Each structure stands twice: as structure tokens, then as C-alpha cells.
Amino acid sequence: MIGMSFADALFAFLALWLIYLAVLWLRELNRVSHSEWRLSNSRLFHCDKCHHSFVLKKMENLTRCPRCNAICIAKRNKL
Ligand SMILES: [Zn+2]
């Protein structure tokens, strides 16, 4: 026989369950942080004429909108 009372067994079960949930939670946080979208604001352009937002892979400050061909200027964040 196992020398454990019902209250001890219940406490052990709940403790193991909480540890299991914490492991799953940390695993999910780790998975989300690795697959999260990251976008540099210096590469994000927004056309003021047609309100189209687009991303360029090249580091340029001035480009043309792919939708309406208007000139767009990259806006930088002032932190
Ligand atoms: Zn445009």
C-alpha cells in the first residue's frame, strides 16, 4: 500500500496538473515568439493618395506606390 492520505494524493495531483499547465503555457509562449511577424517600420510605406500600405525589401526612403504610381516617402519613428 502507498502510505498517502486522500488529501495528499489530491494535492499531488493538483500540483502535477499545475506544473503540466505551466509547461504547456511556456511552450506556447516560446512557439508564438518564434513565429511572430516582425516588420521594420523603416521599410513600411504608406501611400497618402490611395492609402495603400506596402513593404519594400530595399532600404529606400523614396519610392513609387505599386497601385497608383504616386511618390511615397518612408516615415521614420521618432523615439
Ligand atoms: Zn498609392
Side-chain angles (χ1 to χ4, degrees):
M1 270 309 276
I2 301 174
M4 202 177 213
S5 70
F6 179 72
D8 291 341
L10 185 63
F11 178 76
F13 173 74
L14 288 177
L16 289 175
W17 184 249
L18 285 177
I19 290 171
Y20 177 69
L21 287 179
V23 167
L24 287 180
W25 183 41
L26 291 175
R27 192 175 133 210
E28 180 67 17
L29 284 178
N30 191 24
R31 188 188 66 82
V32 167
S33 69
H34 283 292
S35 62
E36 185 178 348
W37 283 74
R38 292 190 182 100
L39 180 64
S40 173
N41 284 335
S42 63
R43 294 181 180 180
L44 178 65
F45 288 86
H46 179 78
C47 179
D48 292 330
K49 187 176 176 184
C50 68
H51 302 289
H52 178 65
S53 296
F54 56 98
V55 176
L56 285 183
K57 293 185 179 180
K58 294 186 269 181
M59 292 298 288
E60 295 177 347
N61 293 332
L62 191 67
T63 186
R64 290 203 173 261
C65 174
R67 182 182 283 176
C68 68
N69 209 23
I71 294 176
C72 300
I73 300 172
K75 296 175 183 170
R76 299 196 182 265
N77 285 343
K78 296 174 184 173
L79 297 177

